Amino acid sequence: MTAQARYNGRDSFEEWQKTWQLEDRYNFRTIEKKWQKIWEDEKTYHVEIDRSKPKFYALVEFPYPSGQGLHVGHPRSYTALDIIARKKRMQGFNVLYPMGFDSFGLPAENYAVKTGIHPAVSTAQNIENYTRQLKSLGFSFDWDRAVNTSSPEYYKWTQWMFLELYKHGLAYKDKIAINWCPACKVGLANEEVVGGHCERCGAEVVRKNKEQWMIAITKYADRLIDDLKDLDFIESVKTQQINWIGRSEGAELDFAFEDDKLTVFTTRPDTAFGVTYMVLAPEHAFVEKYMNRFENQAEIKAYIEKAAKKSDLERTADDSKTGVELKGVKAKNPYTGEEIAVFISDYVLTGYGTGAIMAVPAHDSRDYAFAKIFNLPIVPVLEGGDIEIEAFEGDGLHINSGFLNGLNKTDGMNKAIEYAVQHGFGRPKVNFKLRDWVFSRQRYWGEPIPMVYCEKCGWQPIDEKDLPLKLPMVSDFLPNDEGESPLAKATDWVNTTCPKCGGHARRETDVMPNWAGSSWYFLRYTDPKNDEVFASKEALKYWMNVDWYNGGMEHVTLHLLYSRFWHKFLYDCGYVPTSEPYQKRTAHGMILASNGEKMSKSRGNVVNPDEIVENYGADTFRLYEMFIGPFDQAASWSDESLMGVYRFTSKVYGLFKKVYKNEDVPTSADDLRAMHRCILDVTERIDQMKFNTAVSALMTYVNYLSNMKMIPAQMYEVLLKLLSPFAPHLAEEMWARLGYSDLIVLQSWPEGDKKLADSEVVTIAVQINGKMRGTIECAKDADDETVKQKALALDNVARQTSQSEIKKIIVVKNRIVNIVV
RNA sequence: GCGGACGUGGCGAAAUUGGCAGACGCGCCAGACUUAGGAUCUGGUGCCGAAAGGCGUGCGGGUUCAAGUCCCUCCGUCCGCACCA
């Protein structure tokens, strides 16, 4: 149908008006369901590779389908990228905007323990419920591409990728002290320990030695930092990644210790002349090895035992330093030849550097605190600071430092390392806080690790053709106190044959962590049904990278780091075409309850999205979440503000009565200005994620239209197009009522004209000595002299300038005149 | 302790990045129409003041013709990390 068709055969406004009997209220319940069905039936948002168009891949973090259903926080992110996706579509891009479910995880398993309902059953129900809720909000997801990490078709490839990691030597088994949650009975990655407590249940985490599958993410540490510089990530995300990886450049130095070498890592080799003692972590190998040489063995053993019992939290919560001297032994400073005392103390960590330090109390606050307690010498080797008060950690010129004297920090460091290398007792060294990724979980509801253990052949990967290795059905989901996975009880499944020798072997009973499936899901979206490969080269080449990825700040250290690593590994193997998965990453703020607290079931302040959709409609809900405040900041829910947006949608609906054909195109300069201003503002603000002010711009425009007697059709059509990414159902409905038979979401995005958007007459503020005294109306870009004369002619100005001398007049074009007297 | 973000009406917030502070919305006040329903419409609304006018962006200072915006000191809030040598 063409534009002409819409007023067919009618020539008076009144007559035209009669053709649409508007209900008094905007009936969103019927309207929204109607359009959702049409979009679904017509597969409006389904995409395929189309080389005639530029592609755009918009991604949001897929949810864990919890039993509580969708949280009002989820749609904030989904709506934001839905708006971006819809706008890009209207701008001619081939847009991939997919959704799926990260469906392995602890809650489903805990629920199973409590109720006996199998995780597979509850997960399927929850996914169904989430899908219904998401569809009720009118997102433009391509549902044909939905993925589900707990389906065998999906985790087949997660397992396959694990095998690739194993074959490339990046997955290995190691007995290490892991973070153990005694309540969940599960090993946790460092990333899952928050302030010494289990991220999930809050119980205090203890250390426990266990054999675990590890992934050598540290091999990628440098690249994970360095490659950030070419990415369009918000600064806070980059900073968090960098801090988490924690690169420190320094040196390793060997100190003579008995007839052995005691190696330390330091970032300040320049302060080596100020070393007055050394400290080992209580777990350091030398303590055990040389125990019989120490004079105070009983005291040392008692200290080690005490330290072992302390959790990390206890160790760090108490920053008063404790320790024991290893009496009877000395170390030798390689720079000075001086003999120094050696201590053990739990302020030195076993897992970082070499587990031993050289202590420079004059220039390190921790060493300083320790030296004060144990009355050890404090020798300053840099000028500046006062060691009577505190350690001096700043820069200065070296003193008491032999050949380093007179050098500053940087020069001193270079020289000190150079000297150590020449004399064979040291070398430059880079250390990272990042540890290898603990990849085993003693749990049921996760991807089985496709490895078997044979007495003869050791750990063996299962054959690729046997993938997926399906998770067996069990009915008892409790791990035992030894921390063995529930899978250990499925003996039929556990006992198998060795792929190498054919003899008896046992399957790995630990499963993968939740982070595994989410490390590559964005790749699967490009080709979700493929059962030959995880995604075809063609699909990956066309769709990757993700152009814009939005998610929560809570995932920017863990998930983002893991998935970047995982992707880089696949890139190195030649399976994906790009070395980074996400070109742009943004983050949204949380939605809090009205009192500013987090929403939670226990607090009873949870807002249910279903109720909002039922009572106000999806469009109002979407608009409200965008209007609530700056997108990247936390915002509190408010029912009253929601009403304001509801009024707005009703107004848009009501305006239809005034749309009239004889005024098809706006002619007055004011009308044109209002329209083009709105186009430019909304367009720009969507790109910048300033959704709250984009909605404001729409409101301003609607207020303008409300004040018109009749609305030229084009002005209303532009409103609908600009509104359609935010409130797609309403826009679609009114578009259809205008007489169009094709969908508004397939129309092209309006072009704003900057010239028409600007006024020919500008209001210029007039100031005297920086204080506002009045305003004048001038033609746009009027020359300074005209503006000056007009300003001076103002009553208010004339009165004040007559009494004093004008020193200077500053004219800022189209903005302001400031008269200095 | 370290790192980051931030502090603007009664409230959520805007401010073209140095140029009329408070757009837009909530709430509130007044009026209209109605008085069966979170109603709708019109106008007003930073503070003090009857008015002229004055004062206003956490506090104090500075730069500038001009500061919410830039610089320095302090205070406060939130979020990360937390003995990483």
mmCIF file of all heavy atoms in Angstrom, chain A residues 21 39 45 82 100 160 208 217 221 240 383 405 448 483 538 543 545 622 627 661 668 702 706 710 783:
data_model
loop_
_atom_site.group_PDB
_atom_site.id
_atom_site.type_symbol
_atom_site.label_atom_id
_atom_site.label_comp_id
_atom_site.label_asym_id
_atom_site.label_seq_id
_atom_site.Cartn_x
_atom_site.Cartn_y
_atom_site.Cartn_z
ATOM 1 N N GLN A 21 -12.111 5.112 14.939
ATOM 2 C CA GLN A 21 -12.743 5.233 16.239
ATOM 3 C C GLN A 21 -11.734 4.807 17.275
ATOM 4 O O GLN A 21 -11.555 3.628 17.560
ATOM 5 C CB GLN A 21 -13.989 4.339 16.307
ATOM 6 C CG GLN A 21 -15.005 4.620 15.221
ATOM 7 C CD GLN A 21 -15.699 5.946 15.424
ATOM 8 O OE1 GLN A 21 -16.093 6.263 16.541
ATOM 9 N NE2 GLN A 21 -15.866 6.719 14.358
ATOM 10 N N TRP A 39 5.216 -10.702 14.250
ATOM 11 C CA TRP A 39 6.683 -10.775 14.125
ATOM 12 C C TRP A 39 7.150 -12.222 14.137
ATOM 13 O O TRP A 39 8.041 -12.602 13.396
ATOM 14 C CB TRP A 39 7.367 -10.010 15.246
ATOM 15 C CG TRP A 39 7.139 -8.532 15.231
ATOM 16 C CD1 TRP A 39 6.948 -7.745 14.133
ATOM 17 C CD2 TRP A 39 7.073 -7.650 16.372
ATOM 18 N NE1 TRP A 39 6.779 -6.435 14.506
ATOM 19 C CE2 TRP A 39 6.842 -6.343 15.876
ATOM 20 C CE3 TRP A 39 7.171 -7.836 17.745
ATOM 21 C CZ2 TRP A 39 6.732 -5.228 16.713
ATOM 22 C CZ3 TRP A 39 7.078 -6.738 18.585
ATOM 23 C CH2 TRP A 39 6.843 -5.446 18.081
ATOM 24 N N TYR A 45 12.568 -11.074 12.533
ATOM 25 C CA TYR A 45 13.913 -10.804 13.052
ATOM 26 C C TYR A 45 14.905 -11.924 12.746
ATOM 27 O O TYR A 45 16.007 -11.942 13.278
ATOM 28 C CB TYR A 45 13.852 -10.535 14.558
ATOM 29 C CG TYR A 45 12.867 -9.446 14.883
ATOM 30 C CD1 TYR A 45 11.748 -9.683 15.669
ATOM 31 C CD2 TYR A 45 13.062 -8.165 14.357
ATOM 32 C CE1 TYR A 45 10.830 -8.678 15.937
ATOM 33 C CE2 TYR A 45 12.150 -7.152 14.615
ATOM 34 C CZ TYR A 45 11.037 -7.416 15.409
ATOM 35 O OH TYR A 45 10.139 -6.418 15.665
ATOM 36 N N ASP A 82 18.507 -3.880 22.096
ATOM 37 C CA ASP A 82 17.397 -4.040 21.156
ATOM 38 C C ASP A 82 17.185 -2.734 20.400
ATOM 39 O O ASP A 82 16.961 -2.729 19.189
ATOM 40 C CB ASP A 82 16.117 -4.428 21.905
ATOM 41 C CG ASP A 82 15.025 -4.925 20.966
ATOM 42 O OD1 ASP A 82 15.345 -5.733 20.083
ATOM 43 O OD2 ASP A 82 13.871 -4.492 21.116
ATOM 44 N N GLY A 100 20.088 -16.651 24.292
ATOM 45 C CA GLY A 100 20.208 -18.055 24.666
ATOM 46 C C GLY A 100 20.241 -18.197 26.179
ATOM 47 O O GLY A 100 19.930 -17.255 26.893
ATOM 48 N N TRP A 160 34.647 -30.607 23.151
ATOM 49 C CA TRP A 160 35.610 -30.668 22.049
ATOM 50 C C TRP A 160 36.705 -29.604 22.234
ATOM 51 O O TRP A 160 37.888 -29.861 22.034
ATOM 52 C CB TRP A 160 34.877 -30.460 20.730
ATOM 53 C CG TRP A 160 35.753 -30.468 19.526
ATOM 54 C CD1 TRP A 160 36.220 -31.558 18.860
ATOM 55 C CD2 TRP A 160 36.299 -29.320 18.858
ATOM 56 N NE1 TRP A 160 37.014 -31.173 17.814
ATOM 57 C CE2 TRP A 160 37.085 -29.802 17.786
ATOM 58 C CE3 TRP A 160 36.198 -27.942 19.064
ATOM 59 C CZ2 TRP A 160 37.778 -28.944 16.922
ATOM 60 C CZ3 TRP A 160 36.865 -27.093 18.208
ATOM 61 C CH2 TRP A 160 37.649 -27.592 17.141
ATOM 62 N N LYS A 208 42.406 -26.172 50.541
ATOM 63 C CA LYS A 208 42.393 -27.614 50.560
ATOM 64 C C LYS A 208 43.195 -28.105 49.364
ATOM 65 O O LYS A 208 43.073 -27.563 48.263
ATOM 66 C CB LYS A 208 40.937 -28.107 50.451
ATOM 67 C CG LYS A 208 40.772 -29.584 50.624
ATOM 68 C CD LYS A 208 39.323 -29.904 50.942
ATOM 69 C CE LYS A 208 39.161 -31.390 51.190
ATOM 70 N NZ LYS A 208 37.900 -31.723 51.837
ATOM 71 N N ILE A 217 45.758 -20.262 31.533
ATOM 72 C CA ILE A 217 45.401 -18.921 31.040
ATOM 73 C C ILE A 217 46.568 -17.948 31.202
ATOM 74 O O ILE A 217 46.688 -16.976 30.467
ATOM 75 C CB ILE A 217 44.124 -18.402 31.755
ATOM 76 C CG1 ILE A 217 43.608 -17.106 31.116
ATOM 77 C CG2 ILE A 217 44.366 -18.195 33.245
ATOM 78 C CD1 ILE A 217 42.256 -16.645 31.645
ATOM 79 N N ALA A 221 48.573 -14.129 29.496
ATOM 80 C CA ALA A 221 48.442 -12.923 30.327
ATOM 81 C C ALA A 221 48.892 -11.663 29.592
ATOM 82 O O ALA A 221 48.183 -10.652 29.572
ATOM 83 C CB ALA A 221 49.223 -13.096 31.627
ATOM 84 N N GLN A 240 39.816 -2.752 34.969
ATOM 85 C CA GLN A 240 39.586 -3.938 35.799
ATOM 86 C C GLN A 240 40.301 -5.156 35.250
ATOM 87 O O GLN A 240 40.820 -5.966 36.013
ATOM 88 C CB GLN A 240 38.087 -4.216 35.916
ATOM 89 C CG GLN A 240 37.440 -3.352 36.971
ATOM 90 C CD GLN A 240 36.191 -3.981 37.553
ATOM 91 O OE1 GLN A 240 36.112 -5.187 37.739
ATOM 92 N NE2 GLN A 240 35.219 -3.164 37.855
ATOM 93 N N GLU A 383 66.941 9.251 48.975
ATOM 94 C CA GLU A 383 66.691 10.528 49.638
ATOM 95 C C GLU A 383 65.193 10.818 49.634
ATOM 96 O O GLU A 383 64.495 10.472 48.689
ATOM 97 C CB GLU A 383 67.407 11.658 48.906
ATOM 98 C CG GLU A 383 68.865 11.749 49.248
ATOM 99 C CD GLU A 383 69.557 12.842 48.449
ATOM 100 O OE1 GLU A 383 68.935 13.375 47.497
ATOM 101 O OE2 GLU A 383 70.703 13.136 48.766
ATOM 102 N N ASN A 405 74.518 5.009 43.847
ATOM 103 C CA ASN A 405 74.380 6.340 44.453
ATOM 104 C C ASN A 405 74.205 7.424 43.403
ATOM 105 O O ASN A 405 74.891 7.438 42.383
ATOM 106 C CB ASN A 405 75.617 6.666 45.314
ATOM 107 C CG ASN A 405 75.518 5.982 46.668
ATOM 108 O OD1 ASN A 405 74.427 5.631 47.123
ATOM 109 N ND2 ASN A 405 76.658 5.767 47.300
ATOM 110 N N PRO A 448 30.468 -32.765 31.590
ATOM 111 C CA PRO A 448 31.454 -33.769 31.981
ATOM 112 C C PRO A 448 32.787 -33.480 31.283
ATOM 113 O O PRO A 448 32.804 -33.075 30.119
ATOM 114 C CB PRO A 448 30.854 -35.082 31.486
ATOM 115 C CG PRO A 448 29.400 -34.828 31.352
ATOM 116 C CD PRO A 448 29.275 -33.381 30.985
ATOM 117 N N GLY A 483 34.376 -34.453 49.151
ATOM 118 C CA GLY A 483 34.335 -33.540 48.025
ATOM 119 C C GLY A 483 34.344 -34.247 46.691
ATOM 120 O O GLY A 483 34.732 -33.682 45.679
ATOM 121 N N GLU A 538 32.553 -20.016 7.248
ATOM 122 C CA GLU A 538 31.825 -18.989 6.492
ATOM 123 C C GLU A 538 31.021 -18.091 7.430
ATOM 124 O O GLU A 538 31.072 -16.868 7.347
ATOM 125 C CB GLU A 538 30.895 -19.684 5.497
ATOM 126 C CG GLU A 538 30.288 -18.754 4.483
ATOM 127 C CD GLU A 538 29.056 -19.352 3.818
ATOM 128 O OE1 GLU A 538 28.604 -20.436 4.245
ATOM 129 O OE2 GLU A 538 28.546 -18.711 2.886
ATOM 130 N N TRP A 543 30.105 -13.044 10.400
ATOM 131 C CA TRP A 543 29.490 -12.387 11.571
ATOM 132 C C TRP A 543 30.481 -11.838 12.592
ATOM 133 O O TRP A 543 30.195 -10.867 13.288
ATOM 134 C CB TRP A 543 28.534 -13.351 12.279
ATOM 135 C CG TRP A 543 27.281 -13.620 11.522
ATOM 136 C CD1 TRP A 543 26.891 -14.807 10.985
ATOM 137 C CD2 TRP A 543 26.223 -12.685 11.227
ATOM 138 N NE1 TRP A 543 25.672 -14.683 10.367
ATOM 139 C CE2 TRP A 543 25.239 -13.392 10.501
ATOM 140 C CE3 TRP A 543 26.022 -11.331 11.505
ATOM 141 C CZ2 TRP A 543 24.065 -12.783 10.054
ATOM 142 C CZ3 TRP A 543 24.855 -10.731 11.056
ATOM 143 C CH2 TRP A 543 23.897 -11.448 10.337
ATOM 144 N N ASN A 545 33.734 -9.884 14.185
ATOM 145 C CA ASN A 545 33.547 -9.905 15.631
ATOM 146 C C ASN A 545 32.161 -9.472 16.063
ATOM 147 O O ASN A 545 31.439 -8.880 15.268
ATOM 148 C CB ASN A 545 34.524 -8.917 16.278
ATOM 149 C CG ASN A 545 35.905 -9.480 16.406
ATOM 150 O OD1 ASN A 545 36.129 -10.642 16.123
ATOM 151 N ND2 ASN A 545 36.817 -8.657 16.843
ATOM 152 N N ARG A 622 9.628 -0.889 28.701
ATOM 153 C CA ARG A 622 10.889 -0.658 27.977
ATOM 154 C C ARG A 622 11.294 0.808 28.050
ATOM 155 O O ARG A 622 12.438 1.139 28.373
ATOM 156 C CB ARG A 622 10.714 -1.061 26.500
ATOM 157 C CG ARG A 622 10.500 -2.549 26.268
ATOM 158 C CD ARG A 622 10.024 -2.808 24.835
ATOM 159 N NE ARG A 622 10.979 -2.295 23.864
ATOM 160 C CZ ARG A 622 11.736 -3.037 23.071
ATOM 161 N NH1 ARG A 622 11.618 -4.350 23.094
ATOM 162 N NH2 ARG A 622 12.584 -2.493 22.247
ATOM 163 N N PHE A 627 14.390 5.394 30.507
ATOM 164 C CA PHE A 627 14.223 6.764 31.003
ATOM 165 C C PHE A 627 14.682 6.907 32.453
ATOM 166 O O PHE A 627 14.918 8.002 32.944
ATOM 167 C CB PHE A 627 12.732 7.140 30.893
ATOM 168 C CG PHE A 627 12.431 8.590 31.166
ATOM 169 C CD1 PHE A 627 13.011 9.592 30.398
ATOM 170 C CD2 PHE A 627 11.572 8.951 32.195
ATOM 171 C CE1 PHE A 627 12.740 10.920 30.648
ATOM 172 C CE2 PHE A 627 11.291 10.280 32.442
ATOM 173 C CZ PHE A 627 11.876 11.272 31.668
ATOM 174 N N LYS A 661 -4.340 14.612 6.420
ATOM 175 C CA LYS A 661 -3.695 14.445 5.124
ATOM 176 C C LYS A 661 -3.334 15.737 4.406
ATOM 177 O O LYS A 661 -2.327 15.827 3.750
ATOM 178 C CB LYS A 661 -4.569 13.599 4.208
ATOM 179 C CG LYS A 661 -5.791 14.325 3.702
ATOM 180 C CD LYS A 661 -6.265 13.688 2.402
ATOM 181 C CE LYS A 661 -7.393 14.486 1.818
ATOM 182 N NZ LYS A 661 -7.866 13.976 0.557
ATOM 183 N N SER A 668 5.858 24.933 8.098
ATOM 184 C CA SER A 668 6.380 26.052 8.880
ATOM 185 C C SER A 668 7.771 25.714 9.400
ATOM 186 O O SER A 668 8.105 24.559 9.671
ATOM 187 C CB SER A 668 5.438 26.378 10.035
ATOM 188 O OG SER A 668 5.798 25.656 11.183
ATOM 189 N N VAL A 702 6.743 15.158 21.344
ATOM 190 C CA VAL A 702 5.331 14.819 21.534
ATOM 191 C C VAL A 702 4.586 15.994 22.169
ATOM 192 O O VAL A 702 3.456 16.300 21.794
ATOM 193 C CB VAL A 702 5.185 13.525 22.369
ATOM 194 C CG1 VAL A 702 3.773 13.380 22.915
ATOM 195 C CG2 VAL A 702 5.544 12.316 21.515
ATOM 196 N N SER A 706 1.415 17.831 20.587
ATOM 197 C CA SER A 706 0.165 17.978 21.354
ATOM 198 C C SER A 706 -0.384 19.386 21.249
ATOM 199 O O SER A 706 -1.577 19.593 21.363
ATOM 200 C CB SER A 706 0.397 17.686 22.836
ATOM 201 O OG SER A 706 1.023 16.475 23.003
ATOM 202 N N MET A 710 -3.649 20.457 14.168
ATOM 203 C CA MET A 710 -3.603 19.312 13.270
ATOM 204 C C MET A 710 -2.138 18.956 13.073
ATOM 205 O O MET A 710 -1.288 19.830 13.073
ATOM 206 C CB MET A 710 -4.197 19.650 11.912
ATOM 207 C CG MET A 710 -5.657 19.981 11.965
ATOM 208 S SD MET A 710 -6.165 20.461 10.319
ATOM 209 C CE MET A 710 -7.804 21.047 10.666
ATOM 210 N N ASP A 783 26.440 39.460 12.846
ATOM 211 C CA ASP A 783 27.818 39.883 13.128
ATOM 212 C C ASP A 783 27.905 40.536 14.497
ATOM 213 O O ASP A 783 26.933 41.055 15.051
ATOM 214 C CB ASP A 783 28.346 40.809 12.023
ATOM 215 C CG ASP A 783 27.547 42.074 11.955
ATOM 216 O OD1 ASP A 783 26.411 42.000 11.397
ATOM 217 O OD2 ASP A 783 28.010 43.104 12.465
#
